[in-house]
Amino acid sequence: MTDSTINDAGKKARQNAENIADTMTDQMKSAGEAMRQSGERITEAGTELGMKLLDQAEANTREAFAAMRAAAHAKDVSEVMRIQQEYLRTQGSRAMDQAREIGTMITDYGRQTLTQMTRKD
């Protein structure tokens, strides 16, 4: 083997190594960007979920105080019992609706995350 052939082989090997390093760097940058975007989505979903839970707690508290006010103005015990029964019935229904709403939010977020992970760019 001549010195020229050795030099050419060395240059090719170095160029191949640089190409591999560039490809790996690009892949790492893409993975880092995907992770950053995923982190942003997690933060947004967490914020949205937290705000929804606060809204629900506020609505539940408002309804509880309305029922207590109505009971305070009741004329007799039977009216208090009717108010309490109505509150419990509507609160049970409201709690199921709220749980369904939160469940839908979580499911939608999971679906979006899976779609993003499996999407081919």
Side-chain angles (χ1 to χ4, degrees), residues 56-118:
Q56 290 178 353
E58 182 180 8
N60 292 341
T61 302
R62 193 172 33 253
E63 293 298 322
F65 275 100
M68 286 188 285
R69 282 191 187 93
H73 291 102
K75 293 179 180 35
D76 57 29
V77 174
S78 66
E79 190 175 352
V80 171
M81 296 299 285
R82 183 190 56 75
I83 291 167
Q84 183 180 28
Q85 184 180 29
E86 177 65 19
Y87 170 76
L88 290 174
R89 185 183 61 74
T90 59
Q91 180 57 32
S93 176
R94 188 173 33 256
M96 288 180 59
D97 291 343
Q98 291 170 345
R100 192 174 302 117
E101 188 175 13
I102 295 300
T104 298
M105 289 175 71
I106 292 169
T107 301
D108 288 347
Y109 170 72
R111 191 174 294 122
Q112 290 170 2
T113 300
L114 286 174
T115 299
Q116 185 71 24
M117 289 172 56
T118 58

